[in-house]
Amino acid sequence: MTGVTRGGTLQREDGPTIAYDVAGHGPLVVLVHGLTSFRQSWDPVTTLLAEEFTCVRLDLRGHGASSRAAEYSMLSLVGDVRALVEEVALGEPAIVGHSLGASIAAVYAAAHGARAVVCVDESLRFGELAGLVQAHAEDLCSQRTMQAVLSIDRALGLEPYSGVEEIERRVLAFPREIVLGIWEALLSTPPEQLTAIAEAILPRIAAPLLSLHGSPPPPDYAAWLTGLARAARVETWNGTGHMLHLVNPDQFVARVRPLLADTRDDHRVIGP
């Protein structure tokens, strides 16, 4: 991304080093990529956002320039984001996450608070992805792990993104043990139990939450989510697919910019 003002690595207590970079000025926005991806995938979005926000991006453990780890649980991934927020010390963040990053963003907001949350093409009803992953369990646990991951990605709808071939090459070359570590809970836990966890977590999110989808979620999903996270809103951009933020980054940034803005000053007390 042009405009990166600094980058660095953060040493985590449980072993891995987390690579990150910072660009722009203004309210803090942390951007979290999806499984098998890396922080530079946000370039088309952060180039636009950095005009008025401080954009901080990290490579998840085991991804990009971050090192591998012994632990890949959701709590460890959220802990990496929290450690980075504390490292940059720029106040309460807004969190934008794509796919796996969307789940991380929601769990972060529930655990630590956030100014706003944007979840890009990921169901926060965690049992839904678990059902899809468990349907591929035999292949995932064989030597065909990454072919199975690619099948799951295709089922999520990679078109009409122009970089599909690049994604496919990246997925097939990605270390299978990292995917199996991150998806361990999805593979080993009944979907209804994971959904119950989501239903316990989501009411803790007080911030505005925008759940954007490139294809329609289940018909009852919007009512389910807004019934749990009262400041949530669900929108579908039909035909834009799983990579909707990269299919039209200008439209994406125009939509999320007001949500990410720090409007707390709007509630200041004005004296006589």
Side-chain angles (χ1 to χ4, degrees), residues 98-176:
H98 171 243
S99 199
L100 168 65
S103 293
I104 294 170
V107 175
Y108 180 99
H112 303 293
R115 202 172 65 250
V117 188
V118 179
C119 296
V120 183
D121 210 61
E122 174 85 337
S123 173
L124 300 179
R125 190 156 52 187
F126 300 147
E128 288 179 359
L129 180 58
L132 181 58
V133 168
Q134 289 176 21
H136 291 79
E138 184 176 347
D139 281 342
L140 283 167
C141 296
S142 74
Q143 292 305 309
R144 291 180 48 80
T145 301
M146 299 317 298
Q147 288 88 342
V149 172
L150 187 54
S151 294
I152 292 169
D153 282 348
R154 287 171 174 158
L156 296 174
L158 296 177
E159 305 286 353
Y161 178 53
S162 61
V164 171
E165 289 184 4
E166 178 187 346
I167 289 177
E168 292 179 342
R169 286 192 298 269
R170 185 186 76 219
V171 168
L172 292 175
F174 196 82
R176 65 186 292 273

Side-chain angles (χ1 to χ4, degrees), residues 50-74:
E51 296 172 2
E52 55 190 288
F53 299 98
T54 300
C55 296
V56 175
R57 315 179 300 183
L58 76 159
D59 287 330
L60 296 173
R61 52 177 62 199
H63 294 69
S66 294
S67 64
R68 299 189 189 189
E71 173 74 24
Y72 291 102
S73 68
M74 177 59 69

